[in-house]
Structures are given as structure tokens and as C-alpha cells.
């Protein structure tokens, strides 16, 4: 039988599917729940098409649970980026109305027309790493809440002596010298002692989770921790969220996904960029942690930051430049790790087809519904040179980027006129200049 594509629009409690053939003709559709009975009914419905491929939208997001279940059952599953499905939905229907049925149809059409979508594979170690990273993040939030409650109680028991960043040992020493005699004070001290016990337990769990994350990162033979500012927690979160680095075509797309690529805000002859608040904000936070750590230590990152400050950049602008440089280093290290894990792969960057993530939109959601809006893919503030840690030994040195004042569009030179006006001289088709027309 001919191979069919099953487009899946996943949700937490339901999944809408549409079955199409290679000629994009509709063969079947349905809506099923994601519990055991609904999942079994969906599998029974598609048994009449033995040669099938499941196309799941957002296999790294809301579609991950369903994709993992299908992979464990031996099904072939591909990942369909939400942005490609949005474009098909807009161009096929002439509008951008969003329903589950239209979403499933768009996902299936993308899978039929795009032959280079990322094929998912079962990776139990990566899934375990992601679960443990989420667990430690939840423990960190729980610790912050516990410390806030404990500080509020200590501020009432010991007015004017509470510390801003308090540890369990400091809180224990402060609480040992408090002996209230009234009922409210005794109750307050008892609750504070319970909060202190919870803080001690949470700290032990966080320490254990950090040790396990470090062991799992080393077991995957990742060298992300060789980069200054990247510890076990940051490296584990990067590996868990990135998954397959091959879904990013180059470092510019990776920087757009991490939110470290600036947005083009040029107008006329004014060429400028502004801060991007799109992308994976959790990954942006990991890159920010690495940047702050490099600024605290005597590293090449701090020297790079100071050079940017010497170029009259504001502190936040220099920090954004450093974060973009660190994003490039992280991407290069991920590519090197992937190549080392697969020696049979060709040299160069890990390939990714059009199905890979093509950058985040200007909105913070997974996809911007009008697909005409996109981020800037310009490699600003410049490629990361071999000065920062994490570079591969066989990496070729990159040419230093020209100063911002001398960068121009390829094939054009800016010529200053005595009158203050500027014209562009095209050098690719021969040197010539166009003088401004006289006013009549």
C-alpha cells in the first residue's frame, strides 16, 4: 500500500488527526482523547494503513508525550515546526483561522511536501536528563519560597537582624537565640523551625540532583562544562531543551531560538537593531547565567565585555553582545559533540533541512500567526572567535569583523559628498557613482 501521512494536532487532553496520501487526498480524520482508551482507539483507527508516518506538531513541546508514546510503540514519527504549519494554513485556506481540524490538515500537508523533516528517535537518557533538570528547577523554586517564608518569620522574631541571603546554618544560629514567652511568639518560632527543617531537606535534594545531573552530562560525553560559566545545571538544561542540535541550520538560527539574536529595526539609511524578547526564555536565562559568571571571573568573556564598554557601549548593550558570543560558543560545542558522537557524519556543521526551527518570532509564543514577521538572522555582534573557551582544536580561525562604522552592504561602498549627502556606488558591476540630481 502507498505510504500515508497522519497529521496530529496534539493537546493535553485530546489529539486531532488527519490521514492523507502522497497526493494530499483526505483518507480519514478523527478526534481522540489522550488517555489509554482514546490512545488505543486512535491506534486501532489507523491499522488499515500499515505504511504510515506520524507528523506531530511541536514534538519538543506539548506534543512530546504523544510522540514518546508513539516512538515506544515502534511508530515512525517526524517533527513539524509550528511555523511551517501556520504558513500552510494561511496560504491553503486564504485566512488564518485556527481550528484543530485545520491544524491537523496543515501539519499533514507540511509532512507531505517537506521531505527533510526531523525524524524522532527514542532517547531514554535524554528524557531522564530532562525530567531531572525539571525536578531540580522545581526544587529551586520551592527553596526560594521557603526562604521567603523563613525570612518573614525571622524578621518578626529578630527585628532588624534578618539577612538578605540567608542559609540554613545562619537561620539555625539566629533561631537558637530566640526564646519567646508569649503564645504568638512560641507559635512563630515553632513554624520557623519547621520552615528551617524544610529548607535543610530541600538543600539536600538540590545537592543530590546536581550531582546526578553532572554524572548524566558526563555520561553523554558532552564538553559543555568546559566553557566558563557553564556548570552541571546549565549544561543539563541546554542538552535537555536543545535535544538534537541538527534542527538548527546554523549559529544564527540557534541564537534566534535562544533570544540572543537582535531584531532588525533599521529604517532608511539608519541601520540599528533592538533587543529580542522572543525565543526560549529559559535558554536565554542559562546563557545569561554563563555571561554573569564570566564577568565575575578573570576570563576572556570579561575582557570582551570591557572592550565593548571601551567602544562606548552601554552596560546592557555590552552584556547582550557577550551573550550572543556565548550562544555561538555553545552552538559550536554542541555541534562538535554531535560530530564526535557520530564519526560517520560528514565534517562541518550538522545538517538540518527546512523542517528545522527557522528562528523564533517576535512574539513569545511558539509561533507568530502572521508568518510574515521574523527575526533578524544577521550574525551580530560578530562570530565568536577562538578566544573564548569551548572551541574545537581543529576549528579554523575566523577573520576579525570590521568595525561597525565601516560595515556596509555587500557590493556597495558609501561615498561622502561635500554637501553632506551620500550615494551608493555599486562595485560589482563596475565603479561608477550617481550624483544627486539638481533641484529645479
Amino acid at each position: 500500500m502507498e505510504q500515508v501521512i497522519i497529521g496530529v494536532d496534539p493537546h493535553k487532553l485530546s489529539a486531532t488527526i488527519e490521514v492523507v496520501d502522497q497526493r494530499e487526498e483526505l483518507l480519514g480524520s478523527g478526534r481522540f482523547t489522550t488517555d489509554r482508551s482514546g490512545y488505543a482507539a486512535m491506534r486501532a483507527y489507523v491499522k488499515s494503513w500499515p505504511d504510515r508516518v506520524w507528523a506531530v506538531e511541536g514534538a519538543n513541546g506539548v506534543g512530546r508525550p504523544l510522540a514518546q508514546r508513539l516512538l515506544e510503540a515502534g511508530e515512525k514519527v517526524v517533527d513539524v515546526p509550528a511555523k511551517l504549519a501556520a504558513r500552510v494554513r494561511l496560504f491553503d485556506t486564504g485566512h488564518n483561522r485556527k481550528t484543530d481540524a485545520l491544524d491537523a490538515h496543515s501539519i499533514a500537508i507540511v509532512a507531505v511536501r517537506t521531505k527533510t523533516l526531523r525524524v524522532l528517535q527514542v532517547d531514554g537518557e535524554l528524557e531522564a536528563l530532562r525530567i531531572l533538570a525539571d525536578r531540580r528547577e522545581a526544587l529551586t523554586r520551592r527553596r526560594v519560597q521557603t526562604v521567603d517564608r523563613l525570612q518573614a518569620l525571622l524578621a518578626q522574631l529578630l527585628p532588624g537582624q534578618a539577612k538578605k541571603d540567608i542559609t540554613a546554618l545562619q537561620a539555625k544560629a539566629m533561631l537558637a537565640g530566640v526564646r519567646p514567652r508569649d503564645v504568638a511568639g512560641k507559635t512563630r518560632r515553632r513554624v520557623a523551625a519547621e520552615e528551617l527543617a524544610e529548607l535543610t531537606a530541600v538543600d539536600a535534594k538540590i545537592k543530590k540532583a546536581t550531582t546526578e545531573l553532572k554524572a548524566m552530562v558526563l555520561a553523554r560525553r558532552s564538553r559543555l562544562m568546559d566553557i566558563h560559566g557553564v556548570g552541571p545545571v546549565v549544561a543539563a538544561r541546554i542538552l535537555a531543551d536543545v535535544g538534537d542540535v541538527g534542527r538548527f541550520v546554523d549559529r544564527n538560527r540557534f541564537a534566534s531560538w535562544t533570544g540572543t539574536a537582535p531584531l532588525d529595526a533599521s529604517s532608511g539609511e539608519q541601520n540599528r537593531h533592538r533587543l529580542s524578547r522572543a525565543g526560549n526564555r529559559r535558554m536565554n536565562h542559562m546563557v545569561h547565567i554563563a555571561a554573569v559568571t564570566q564577568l565575575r571571573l578573570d576570563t576572556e568573556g570579561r575582557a570582551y565585555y570591557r572592550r565593548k564598554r571601551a567602544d562606548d557601549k552601554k552596560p546592557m548593550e555590552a552584556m547582550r553582545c557577550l551573550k550572543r558570543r556565548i550562544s555561538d560558543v555553545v552552538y559550536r560545542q554542541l555541534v562538535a559533540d554531535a560530530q564526535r558522537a557520530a564519526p560517520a557524519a560528514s565534517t562541518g556543521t550538522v545538517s538540518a533541512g527546512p523542517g528545522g526551527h527557522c528562528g523564533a518570532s517576535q512574539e513569545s509564543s511558539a509561533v507568530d500567526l502572521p508568518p510574515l514577521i521574523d527575526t533578524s538572522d544577521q550574525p551580530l555582534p560578530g562570530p565568536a572567535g577562538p578566544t573564548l573557551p569551548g572551541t574545537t582544536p581543529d576549528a579554523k580561525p575566523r577573520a576579525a569583523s570590521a568595525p561597525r562604522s565601516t560595515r556596509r552592504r555587500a557590493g556597495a561602498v558609501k561615498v561622502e559628498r561635500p554637501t553632506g549627502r551620500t550615494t551608493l556606488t555599486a562595485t560589482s558591476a563596475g565603479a561608477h557613482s550617481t550624483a544627486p540630481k539638481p533641484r529645479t
Side-chain angles (χ1 to χ4, degrees), residues 47-273:
K47 276 187 177 180
S48 56
W49 300 286
D51 189 6
R52 57 183 178 267
V53 177
W54 297 78
V56 181
E57 183 185 39
N60 279 340
V62 69
R64 180 183 299 163
L66 180 59
Q68 292 294 327
R69 295 170 70 179
L70 293 173
L71 289 174
E72 293 174 359
E75 300 284 349
K76 184 178 180 181
V77 185
V78 296
D79 180 22
V80 176
K83 180 171 290 188
L84 294 183
R87 290 170 179 167
V88 171
R89 183 175 64 250
L90 173 62
F91 296 143
D92 281 2
T93 62
H95 53 75
N96 210 26
R97 296 174 185 171
K98 187 174 172 60
T99 63
D100 292 345
L102 290 177
D103 286 345
H105 174 75
S106 303
I107 294 165
I109 298 304
V110 169
V112 172
R113 299 177 182 178
T114 308
K115 304 302 181 182
T116 54
L117 292 177
R118 185 170 62 97
V119 180
L120 302 181
Q121 298 179 356
V122 179
D123 193 343
E125 295 180 357
L126 183 61
E127 188 65 22
L129 182 66
R130 183 180 294 112
I131 294 173
L132 192 57
D134 294 340
R135 168 63 175 169
R136 192 196 180 280
E137 185 178 348
L139 288 174
T140 303
R141 292 195 298 266
R142 181 180 171 184
R143 185 188 186 279
V144 172
Q145 296 173 358
T146 304
V147 169
D148 290 343
R149 293 192 298 266
L150 181 58
Q151 285 182 330
L153 293 172
L154 291 177
Q156 297 175 6
L157 292 172
L158 297 171
Q161 300 184 24
K163 295 184 178 181
K164 181 179 181 181
D165 298 326
I166 192 172
T167 62
L169 294 178
Q170 293 173 348
K172 184 177 181 180
M174 296 173 62
L175 199 60
V178 179
R179 291 293 184 270
R181 297 183 179 182
D182 58 324
V183 177
K186 292 180 179 180
T187 304
R188 189 175 292 113
R189 188 187 185 284
R190 179 176 57 83
V191 174
E194 294 176 357
E195 295 291 347
L196 178 59
E198 183 178 355
L199 176 61
T200 304
V202 170
D203 285 341
K205 292 179 181 179
I206 290 177
K207 184 177 180 180
K208 181 180 178 181
T210 304
T211 304
E212 293 180 1
L213 286 176
K214 183 177 180 180
M216 297 181 70
V217 171
L218 294 177
R220 295 186 67 87
R221 298 181 180 181
S222 174
R223 296 182 180 177
L224 283 175
M225 290 189 294
D226 295 342
I227 305 175
H228 286 300
V230 178
V233 178
V234 176
R237 175 51 62 190
I238 292 175
L239 292 175
D241 284 5
V242 171
D244 182 14
V245 71
R247 63 195 182 104
F248 301 102
V249 180
D250 52 22
R251 60 185 176 84
N252 301 327
R253 301 293 176 84
F254 182 78
S256 179
W257 179 70
T258 58
T260 56
L263 296 178
D264 191 3
S266 304
S267 177
E269 296 182 357
Q270 184 181 15
N271 185 16
R272 67 183 184 90
H273 292 76

Side-chain angles (χ1 to χ4, degrees), residues 349-363:
T349 58
V350 178
S351 60
H357 287 269
C358 51
S361 64
Q362 291 184 357
E363 302 295 334

Side-chain angles (χ1 to χ4, degrees), residues 371-426:
L372 302 178
I373 302 178
D374 200 358
T375 56
S376 171
D377 286 332
Q378 298 185 12
L380 298 177
T387 57
L388 288 178
T391 57
T392 54
D394 55 347
K396 296 181 180 179
R398 299 178 181 268
S401 59
R404 180 174 295 184
S405 59
T406 59
R407 287 202 297 264
R408 295 291 180 265
R409 294 182 299 176
V413 178
K414 189 173 182 180
V415 181
E416 298 290 343
R417 293 291 179 182
T419 59
R421 300 181 182 177
T422 59
T423 57
L424 291 178
T425 303

